[in-house]
Amino acid sequence: MNHPATTLYTKPACVQCDATKRDLDKKGVEYTPVDMTKDPAALEYVKSLGHLSAPVVVIDTPTQPVHWSGYRPDLINIHYGKAA
């Protein structure tokens, strides 16, 4: 299944990040993981979106990115479909 380009901004030892990765993996979503502790520009970008906690999911859409922070299975289901 094709999904819009997705970036997952994470940090090490993050339980919510791991849960988000598991859900995306179960749904077959291809995403680009970015460790915000190793990429200062990525950290500044997610802060510019108004987020202060990890993970941050950013979905590229034709108009403007859709984004949220934290483990949000409800939003994962909305944007990528319910688990099979």
Side-chain angles (χ1 to χ4, degrees), residues 45-80:
Y45 173 66
V46 298
K47 284 182 177 180
S48 78
L49 295 175
H51 301 295
L52 300 175
S53 62
V56 175
V57 177
V58 178
I59 305 169
D60 289 330
T61 63
T63 53
Q64 65 183 19
V66 172
H67 50 87
W68 66 85
S69 65
Y71 174 52
R72 296 291 308 269
D74 58 328
L75 293 176
I76 293 170
N77 285 337
I78 288 168
H79 292 284
Y80 301 110

Side-chain angles (χ1 to χ4, degrees), residues 1-4 27-30 79-82:
M1 176 182 267
N2 286 336
H3 298 106
K27 293 180 183 315
V29 176
E30 291 185 27
H79 292 284
Y80 301 110
K82 295 193 184 287

Side-chain angles (χ1 to χ4, degrees), residues 19-29 31 71 82-84:
T20 300
K21 288 177 193 175
R22 273 193 306 275
D23 273 13
L24 293 175
D25 290 344
K26 279 184 197 174
K27 293 180 183 315
V29 176
Y31 57 89
Y71 174 52
K82 295 193 184 287

